[in-house]
Amino acid sequence: MPEVAADASAVPATRGELLLELSGVSKYFGGVRALHEVDLELYRGEVVGLVGDNGAGKSTLVKVISGVEHPDSGEIRVGGEPVRLETPRAAQSAGIHTVYQDLSLCDNLDAVRNVFLGQELTGSLLRGRPLDRHRMEAAARTVLDSLAVRVRSMSTPVGGLSGGQRQGIAIGRALISDPSLVLLDEPTAALGVSQRTEVLELIVRLRSQNRGVLVISHDLKDVQEVADRIVVMRLGSKVAEFARGQYSSGDLVAAITGAHDAPRPSEGDR
Ligand SMILES: Nc1ncnc2c1ncn2[C@@H]1O[C@H](COP(=O)(O)OP(=O)(O)O)[C@@H](O)[C@H]1O
Ligand SMILES: [Mg+2]
């Protein structure tokens, strides 16, 4: 696909529905400024990579969007309406689902139970609402199939599955609530090469399901491979945004490290 445009605008020609907007979002932890006046827009059908050094504010940004942390100032809008994402549940109701790095899978439970963890389907009220295993298994199969995640048996404990399969099940869990926006925190960390490829394919499938995807990653190669747009954070601020095909690896690294910043006047020894 020829994608290099002459002007360096980060906006592609056609764009899906605007799902989420952050304007001027700041967050302090005591004296630490974790987020400073961050503006961000996330669209349907787009994979956005979120990169930056340790302490740049990536996790805090994801937590603010997923209702785990609350901004001290600024506005969050979902579908154009200002919202307060007080809890992860509130974020989920707003169509936002987050897959954390630790995946929070229960190794002793099978794929079906893990996909439905905390959102189990119950049977008829008259029958005392036992878990509706049949419906859960069918629905779990549907979401895992939609991601092309293959597990040999839906009813063996997930503890023995590969890293890629486990990531698939964690993403499958996210899809049960049919979110419009999926946030992934370091999905390829600690994976081998073939499993990394598997997970990048999962991300592409989320996009082809017309969801918005925000991926945090330390691995710039992964991000460059999968992201339509890359947002760079440094010291709590959003410092750059690059559309696919409109940056070099060097641009990315320079934005992350601040290598191209003008030296401050007080730094006379430069
Ligand atoms: N719960 C917390 N309490 C105090 N400081 C925090 C907390 N969470 C993050 N921070 C600080 O906020 C800054 C941004 O952290 P974080 O969002 O985790 O960055 P990243 O994910 O990019 O590594 C860092 O200086 C970090 O030490
Ligand atoms: Mg982090």
Side-chain angles (χ1 to χ4, degrees):
M1 260 199 294
E3 292 181 273
V4 181
D7 69 332
S9 153
V11 183
T14 59
R15 201 153 218 187
E17 173 197 356
L18 176 57
L19 294 173
L20 180 96
E21 293 168 273
L22 267 58
S23 10
V25 166
S26 296
K27 171 73 188 174
Y28 290 81
F29 292 108
V32 176
R33 192 176 70 181
L35 294 178
H36 177 62
E37 299 277 327
V38 174
D39 297 336
L40 179 69
E41 296 182 342
L42 298 175
Y43 295 83
R44 267 195 197 281
E46 187 186 33
V47 176
V48 175
L50 183 60
V51 302
D53 253 340
N54 281 335
K58 306 179 299 292
S59 294
T60 305
L61 185 63
V62 164
K63 285 178 186 164
V64 158
I65 299 173
S66 31
V68 174
E69 298 285 359
H70 308 109
D72 293 312
S73 56
E75 192 171 79
I76 302 178
R77 291 183 295 278
V78 171
E81 295 296 319
V83 290
R84 292 176 61 86
L85 304 172
E86 295 286 358
T87 60
R89 278 250 179 248
Q92 267 182 44
S93 309
I96 301 162
H97 202 118
T98 307
V99 180
Y100 289 100
Q101 189 170 357
D102 66 3
L103 300 185
S104 323
L105 296 182
C106 289
D107 285 347
N108 58 320
L109 297 180
D110 66 22
V112 176
R113 292 298 298 271
N114 268 289
V115 165
F116 276 95
L117 210 63
Q119 39 193 358
E120 287 84 359
L121 300 178
T122 49
S124 135
L125 203 62
L126 290 173
R127 281 193 248 139
R129 303 180 76 103
L131 292 184
D132 191 337
R133 173 77 197 186
H134 188 72
R135 270 170 62 212
M136 280 167 51
E137 182 156 341
R141 264 199 193 289
T142 305
V143 291
L144 294 183
D145 283 352
S146 82
L147 294 167
V149 173
R150 271 170 280 280
V151 290
R152 215 169 295 127
S153 159
M154 296 292 277
S155 50
T156 51
V158 300
L161 297 181
S162 76
Q165 287 172 314
R166 293 167 63 79
Q167 189 76 46
I169 289 171
I171 295 175
R173 176 191 296 164
L175 298 193
I176 286 295
S177 58
D178 194 21
S180 38
L181 185 62
V182 179
L183 313 179
L184 302 165
D185 194 352
E186 296 285 354
T188 57
L191 292 184
V193 174
S194 73
Q195 294 182 13
R196 258 188 45 215
T197 307
E198 247 176 72
V199 169
L200 295 181
E201 284 168 6
L202 286 174
I203 292 170
V204 169
R205 284 199 192 91
L206 291 174
R207 174 176 57 199
S208 66
Q209 292 170 358
N210 203 27
R211 302 179 204 277
V213 186
L214 181 69
V215 187
I216 295 187
S217 183
H218 269 98
D219 192 316
L220 297 184
K221 235 177 95 232
D222 284 356
V223 176
Q224 291 183 68
E225 197 171 321
V226 82
D228 301 299
R229 181 160 56 103
I230 299 183
V231 168
V232 184
M233 304 270 306
R234 178 155 37 84
L235 302 174
S237 298
K238 188 176 92 177
V239 292
E241 219 174 309
F242 298 106
R244 185 195 288 280
Q246 297 181 337
Y247 63 91
S248 68
S249 300
D251 295 335
L252 209 50
V253 172
I256 290 169
T257 59
H260 290 172
D261 281 10
R264 275 179 259 146
S266 60
E267 294 172 331
D269 56 343
R270 292 201 178 198

